[in-house]
Amino acid sequence: MADQLTYESADLAICRPTGPVEPLRSDVLGKVGVLCLLSKQHPLANKEMSLEDYSRYPHAMIAISDGVKALLEQALVGSPKRKMVLRAYHLEAALAIVDTMPIIITVPADLAYLVAERYDLAVKPLPFKFTPFDYSMIWHPRCEHSPAQEWLRAIVKEECGRLISKRIEDMGLSE
C-alpha cells in the first residue's frame, strides 16, 4: 500500500493500518466490524451459526486487508481451521459462486449490509468474539493540499462515517 501511494498508482487507501503509517498521512474513519454473507439457500441461512458450523463450511474472504485477516486469525486461535476456497479483492468473484456451493463470505460489516439486500443474501454475525477495529484512510503527503484530494477525502470521511455510525448503532456496539 505504501508503495502504491508513494509512486502514484493509488491516491487513497482505506484499511486497518497494521503499524505506523508515517511519512504517509491518515485519518480514522471509525470502528468497523466483520460479518458473514450466505446465500439464502445455504443450510445455515435460517439458523444460528455456531463456531463448529463456521469451521465446517467453505469460505470466501473478500475486501479484507491483511491486518483484518490477522485479527480474524487471532480471534480463531485454537479453533478448527477454516476451509478457504476463495480470497479475492472483488466481491463479484464470490457472488458468482455463492449459489453453487455453500460458502460463507466474510466481509467488513458495511459491505455486508450494502450488498445483502441487492443480491438477496443472508447476513450473519461471526460465531465468536470479534472486537470492531478502527478503519482509516491513508494518503501521500503530496496530496495533502490538492483541492481534488481534499474534496475526495471529505466525501469518503462523510460517507464512511455515516455507514459506520449506522452499523455500530444497528449492531448495538455504541458505547
Side-chain angles (χ1 to χ4, degrees):
M1 172 202 58
D3 284 346
Q4 291 173 319
L5 292 169
T6 300
Y7 300 112
E8 300 186 37
S9 60
D11 291 327
L12 187 68
I14 300 173
C15 62
R16 174 190 171 261
T18 56
V21 298
E22 290 79 18
L24 302 173
R25 305 288 193 259
S26 67
D27 194 3
V28 174
L29 296 170
K31 296 269 185 216
V32 174
V34 176
L35 294 171
C36 300
L37 290 172
L38 307 119
S39 164
K40 288 195 174 171
Q41 288 69 49
H42 193 288
L44 301 174
N46 296 310
K47 68 176 234 176
E48 189 172 325
M49 181 171 35
S50 70
L51 182 55
E52 182 182 328
D53 293 330
Y54 184 78
S55 299
R56 185 174 63 236
Y57 284 94
H59 284 262
M61 190 175 293
I62 309 300
I64 298 229
S65 69
D66 287 340
V68 178
K69 183 178 181 283
L71 290 175
L72 284 167
E73 297 302 327
Q74 182 180 0
L76 287 166
V77 166
S79 300
K81 191 163 176 65
R82 293 174 294 158
K83 299 174 194 163
M84 195 65 60
V85 295
L86 176 68
R87 183 169 183 211
Y89 291 101
H90 301 287
L91 182 61
E92 290 79 11
L95 293 175
I97 63 171
V98 73
D99 286 326
T100 63
M101 66 185 305
I103 61 171
I104 297 171
I105 306 171
T106 305
V107 294
D110 302 299
L111 181 58
Y113 282 108
L114 285 172
V115 300
E117 187 174 328
R118 175 187 244 179
Y119 293 96
D120 198 31
L121 300 172
V123 177
K124 296 283 187 181
L126 293 170
F128 53 88
K129 184 172 173 47
F130 185 84
T131 304
F133 53 89
D134 283 329
Y135 237 37
S136 298
M137 64 177 161
I138 303 169
W139 63 94
H140 193 275
R142 77 173 170 283
C143 301
E144 185 77 16
H145 301 293
S146 160
Q149 294 293 323
E150 288 175 342
W151 172 85
L152 176 63
R153 290 193 304 271
I155 294 294
V156 168
K157 185 160 180 95
E158 180 181 334
E159 292 304 315
C160 286
R162 187 179 332 203
L163 282 171
I164 290 167
S165 295
K166 176 80 173 116
R167 295 308 155 225
I168 286 176
E169 181 182 313
D170 289 352
M171 296 169 72
L173 300 172
S174 53
E175 297 173 31

Coordinates of all heavy atoms in Angstrom, one line a residue, residues 141-171:
P141 N 1.7 12.5 1.4 CA 1.7 14.0 1.7 C 1.6 14.9 0.5 O 1.1 16.0 0.6 CB 3.1 14.2 2.4 CG 3.4 12.8 2.9 CD 2.8 11.8 2.0
R142 N 2.0 14.4 -0.7 CA 1.9 15.3 -1.9 C 0.5 15.6 -2.2 O 0.2 16.6 -2.9 CB 2.6 14.6 -3.1 CG 1.8 13.6 -3.7 CD 2.4 13.0 -5.0 NE 1.7 11.9 -5.4 CZ 1.8 10.7 -4.9 NH1 2.7 10.5 -3.9 NH2 1.1 9.7 -5.2
C143 N -0.5 14.8 -1.7 CA -1.9 15.0 -1.9 C -2.6 15.9 -0.8 O -3.7 16.2 -1.0 CB -2.6 13.7 -2.0 SG -2.0 12.6 -3.3
E144 N -1.8 16.2 0.2 CA -2.3 16.9 1.4 C -3.2 18.2 1.0 O -4.2 18.3 1.5 CB -1.2 17.3 2.3 CG -1.6 17.9 3.6 CD -2.2 16.8 4.6 OE1 -2.0 15.6 4.4 OE2 -2.8 17.3 5.6
H145 N -2.7 19.0 0.1 CA -3.3 20.3 -0.1 C -3.9 20.4 -1.5 O -4.3 21.5 -2.0 CB -2.4 21.4 0.1 CG -1.8 21.4 1.5 ND1 -2.7 21.7 2.6 CD2 -0.6 21.1 2.0 CE1 -2.0 21.6 3.7 NE2 -0.7 21.2 3.4
S146 N -4.0 19.3 -2.2 CA -4.7 19.3 -3.5 C -6.2 19.4 -3.3 O -6.8 18.7 -2.6 CB -4.4 17.9 -4.2 OG -5.4 17.7 -5.2
P147 N -6.8 20.4 -4.0 CA -8.2 20.6 -3.8 C -9.1 19.4 -4.1 O -10.0 19.1 -3.4 CB -8.6 21.8 -4.7 CG -7.3 22.5 -4.9 CD -6.2 21.5 -4.8
A148 N -8.7 18.7 -5.2 CA -9.4 17.5 -5.6 C -9.3 16.4 -4.5 O -10.3 15.7 -4.2 CB -8.9 17.0 -7.0
Q149 N -8.1 16.2 -4.0 CA -7.8 15.2 -3.0 C -8.5 15.6 -1.7 O -9.1 14.7 -1.0 CB -6.3 15.0 -2.8 CG -5.6 14.4 -3.9 CD -6.0 13.0 -4.2 OE1 -6.3 12.3 -3.3 NE2 -6.1 12.7 -5.5
E150 N -8.5 16.9 -1.3 CA -9.2 17.3 -0.1 C -10.7 17.0 -0.2 O -11.4 16.6 0.7 CB -9.0 18.8 0.1 CG -7.6 19.1 0.6 CD -7.3 20.6 0.7 OE1 -8.0 21.4 0.1 OE2 -6.3 20.9 1.4
W151 N -11.3 17.3 -1.4 CA -12.7 17.0 -1.7 C -13.0 15.5 -1.5 O -13.9 15.1 -0.9 CB -13.1 17.5 -3.1 CG -14.5 17.1 -3.5 CD1 -15.6 17.8 -3.2 CD2 -14.8 15.9 -4.2 NE1 -16.7 17.1 -3.7 CE2 -16.2 15.9 -4.4 CE3 -14.1 14.9 -4.8 CZ2 -16.9 15.0 -5.1 CZ3 -14.7 13.9 -5.5 CH2 -16.1 13.9 -5.6
L152 N -12.1 14.7 -2.2 CA -12.3 13.2 -2.1 C -12.3 12.8 -0.7 O -13.1 12.0 -0.2 CB -11.2 12.5 -2.9 CG -11.2 11.0 -2.9 CD1 -12.5 10.5 -3.5 CD2 -10.0 10.5 -3.7
R153 N -11.3 13.2 0.1 CA -11.2 12.7 1.5 C -12.4 13.2 2.3 O -12.9 12.4 3.2 CB -9.9 13.3 2.1 CG -8.6 12.6 1.6 CD -7.4 12.9 2.4 NE -7.1 14.3 2.6 CZ -6.3 15.0 1.7 NH1 -5.8 14.4 0.7 NH2 -6.1 16.3 2.0
A154 N -12.9 14.4 2.1 CA -14.0 14.9 2.8 C -15.3 14.0 2.5 O -16.0 13.6 3.4 CB -14.3 16.3 2.5
I155 N -15.5 13.7 1.2 CA -16.6 12.8 0.8 C -16.5 11.4 1.4 O -17.4 10.9 2.0 CB -16.7 12.7 -0.7 CG1 -17.0 14.1 -1.3 CG2 -17.7 11.6 -1.2 CD1 -18.4 14.6 -1.0
V156 N -15.3 10.8 1.3 CA -15.0 9.5 1.9 C -15.3 9.5 3.4 O -16.0 8.6 3.9 CB -13.6 9.0 1.6 CG1 -13.2 7.8 2.4 CG2 -13.5 8.7 0.1
K157 N -14.8 10.5 4.1 CA -14.9 10.6 5.5 C -16.4 10.7 5.9 O -16.9 10.0 6.8 CB -14.1 11.7 6.1 CG -14.2 11.7 7.6 CD -13.1 12.5 8.3 CE -13.2 12.5 9.8 NZ -12.4 11.5 10.4
E158 N -17.1 11.6 5.2 CA -18.5 11.8 5.5 C -19.3 10.5 5.2 O -20.1 10.1 6.1 CB -19.1 12.9 4.6 CG -20.5 13.2 4.8 CD -21.0 14.3 3.9 OE1 -20.2 15.2 3.5 OE2 -22.2 14.4 3.6
E159 N -19.2 9.9 4.1 CA -20.0 8.7 3.7 C -19.6 7.5 4.6 O -20.5 6.8 5.0 CB -19.8 8.4 2.2 CG -20.5 9.4 1.3 CD -21.9 9.7 1.6 OE1 -22.7 8.7 1.8 OE2 -22.4 10.8 1.7
C160 N -18.3 7.3 4.8 CA -17.9 6.1 5.6 C -18.3 6.4 7.0 O -18.8 5.4 7.7 CB -16.4 5.9 5.6 SG -15.8 5.2 4.0
G161 N -18.2 7.6 7.5 CA -18.7 7.9 8.9 C -20.2 7.6 9.0 O -20.6 7.1 10.1
R162 N -20.9 8.0 8.1 CA -22.4 7.7 8.1 C -22.7 6.2 8.1 O -23.5 5.7 8.9 CB -23.1 8.4 6.9 CG -24.6 8.3 6.9 CD -25.2 9.0 5.7 NE -24.2 10.0 5.3 CZ -24.5 11.1 4.6 NH1 -25.7 11.3 4.2 NH2 -23.6 11.9 4.2
L163 N -22.0 5.5 7.2 CA -22.2 4.0 7.2 C -21.8 3.3 8.5 O -22.5 2.5 9.1 CB -21.4 3.4 6.1 CG -22.0 3.5 4.7 CD1 -20.9 3.1 3.6 CD2 -23.3 2.7 4.5
I164 N -20.6 3.7 9.0 CA -20.0 3.1 10.2 C -20.9 3.4 11.4 O -21.2 2.5 12.2 CB -18.6 3.6 10.4 CG1 -17.7 2.9 9.3 CG2 -18.1 3.2 11.8 CD1 -16.3 3.5 9.2
S165 N -21.3 4.7 11.5 CA -22.2 5.0 12.7 C -23.5 4.3 12.7 O -23.9 3.8 13.7 CB -22.5 6.5 12.6 OG -21.3 7.3 12.8
K166 N -24.1 4.1 11.5 CA -25.3 3.4 11.4 C -25.1 1.9 11.8 O -26.0 1.3 12.5 CB -25.9 3.5 10.0 CG -27.1 2.7 9.7 CD -28.4 3.4 10.2 CE -29.6 2.7 9.7 NZ -30.4 2.2 10.8
R167 N -24.1 1.3 11.3 CA -23.8 -0.1 11.6 C -23.6 -0.3 13.1 O -24.0 -1.3 13.7 CB -22.7 -0.7 10.8 CG -23.0 -0.7 9.3 CD -24.3 -1.4 9.0 NE -24.8 -0.9 7.7 CZ -26.1 -0.5 7.5 NH1 -27.0 -0.6 8.4 NH2 -26.4 0.0 6.3
I168 N -22.8 0.6 13.7 CA -22.5 0.4 15.1 C -23.8 0.5 15.9 O -24.0 -0.2 16.8 CB -21.5 1.5 15.6 CG1 -20.1 1.1 15.0 CG2 -21.4 1.7 17.1 CD1 -19.0 2.1 15.3
E169 N -24.7 1.4 15.5 CA -26.0 1.6 16.2 C -26.8 0.3 15.9 O -27.4 -0.3 16.9 CB -26.7 2.8 15.6 CG -28.1 3.0 16.2 CD -28.7 4.2 15.5 OE1 -28.1 5.3 15.4 OE2 -29.9 4.1 15.2
D170 N -26.9 -0.2 14.7 CA -27.7 -1.4 14.3 C -27.2 -2.6 15.1 O -28.0 -3.5 15.5 CB -27.6 -1.7 12.8 CG -28.4 -0.7 12.0 OD1 -29.1 0.2 12.6 OD2 -28.3 -0.7 10.8
M171 N -25.8 -2.7 15.3 CA -25.3 -3.9 15.9 C -25.2 -3.7 17.4 O -24.7 -4.6 18.1 CB -23.9 -4.1 15.3 CG -23.9 -4.5 13.8 SD -22.2 -4.5 13.1 CE -21.5 -5.9 13.8

